[in-house]
Amino acid sequence: MIVTIDGVAASGKSSVASGVARRLQLPYVSSGLLYRAAALVALDEGLPTDRAEPLLASLEAQPVELRPLPEGNEVWRGSQDLTERLHTSEVDGSVSAVAQLQPLREWVNDHLRQLPPPFVAEGRDMGTNVFPQAEYKFYLTASPRVRAERRVQERTADLESVEAALVLRDARDARQSAPAPDARHIDTGLGNLEQVIAKVLSYLPDPA
Ligand SMILES: Nc1ncnc2c1ncn2[C@@H]1O[C@H](COP(=O)(O)OP(=O)(O)OP(=O)(O)O)[C@@H](O)[C@H]1O
Ligand SMILES: Nc1ccn([C@H]2C[C@H](O)[C@@H](COP(=O)(O)O)O2)c(=O)n1
């Protein structure tokens, strides 16, 4: 079984996906972390984010590994744990450019398609492009303001700046972020996190 949870920035994908996966006792996979890791490598190494070749060469020379652990995804590069450095405003500002590079999308998708089902996968195009065969698909939304009020707790910028950055990222990511025609849409602004997790679980088979 594959469950996909796609949606816009800060709509709650990671939190909902990890909560659903925990209750189903399945791994959960955050595709965004691979794009964030690629963007972090480009930032750390001063590589361009508008051309794939230099960045792909670095990623192939020293591979990145996504570990979908039950307690949360980790991203490692050799002996370096990159996880704690992936959710910053600096990476937020670069990741959309990296995600526009088709060879980088293929690099991410190759990683994802090696994972053995069952799992819960979250991102932008899990239910459309990466796992169109998924049995259960969800698409999360929430207003920019609601999403900014959540995200501002996790960043150092003020609410207005965070909301503007989210709206900009939504626009930059729009090309790959269309919902799957068979995805169930859930407005996460209509309930707290536990209520949204329960809503998703109500559409899924009970764990054996
Ligand atoms: N329904 C909800 N009610 C209240 N808070 C929520 C809800 N869903 C998620 N949150 C909180 O909002 C913040 C952003 O959620 P999360 O990181 O899961 O979003 P995301 O879509 O994965 O973000 P990104 O696209 O940037 O990775 C987190 O602090 C999370 O706990
Ligand atoms: N399947 C995906 C997942 C993510 N992206 C891009 C778009 C986001 O700006 C960025 C980071 O994702 P997030 O951690 O915010 O979910 O990566 C994508 O294009 N496709």
Side-chain angles (χ1 to χ4, degrees), residues 6-10 13-14 30-36 86-87 91-92 95-100 105 108-109 112 122-126 130 151 155 169-170 172-173 176-177:
D6 292 310
V8 291
K13 299 182 301 300
S14 302
S30 173
S31 59
L33 291 182
L34 285 168
Y35 290 103
R36 289 176 177 274
L86 299 179
H87 284 281
V91 169
D92 284 353
V95 66
S96 290
V98 169
Q100 295 309 314
R105 301 199 69 82
V108 169
N109 295 346
L112 298 173
E122 59 94 353
R124 299 294 191 286
D125 60 345
M126 297 297 96
V130 187
R151 181 54 32 96
R155 297 289 189 274
R169 195 144 68 90
D170 289 347
R172 287 174 167 171
D173 300 339
Q176 68 270 21
S177 302

Side-chain angles (χ1 to χ4, degrees), residues 53-158:
E53 296 72 20
L55 180 50
L56 269 184
S58 177
L59 293 168
E60 282 157 10
Q62 197 179 357
V64 160
E65 180 196 0
L66 175 65
R67 297 178 185 172
L69 304 176
E71 59 272 22
N73 284 213
E74 293 182 358
V75 179
W76 289 74
R77 192 181 196 201
S79 61
Q80 270 194 309
D81 181 354
L82 303 181
T83 314
E84 294 310 312
R85 300 181 59 211
L86 299 179
H87 284 281
T88 64
S89 296
E90 193 185 20
V91 169
D92 284 353
S94 299
V95 66
S96 290
V98 169
Q100 295 309 314
L101 302 172
Q102 192 53 38
L104 264 294
R105 301 199 69 82
E106 287 158 21
W107 174 80
V108 169
N109 295 346
D110 287 348
H111 275 74
L112 298 173
R113 291 180 180 131
Q114 288 169 24
L115 298 169
F119 51 74
V120 179
E122 59 94 353
R124 299 294 191 286
D125 60 345
M126 297 297 96
T128 49
N129 179 41
V130 187
F131 302 113
Q133 76 281 18
E135 295 88 340
Y136 302 93
K137 301 179 183 179
F138 300 88
Y139 191 83
L140 307 186
T141 59
S143 72
R145 177 50 56 114
V146 163
R147 292 185 281 136
E149 285 165 350
R150 294 169 182 169
R151 181 54 32 96
V152 76
Q153 313 296 328
E154 304 165 324
R155 297 289 189 274
T156 54
D158 62 84

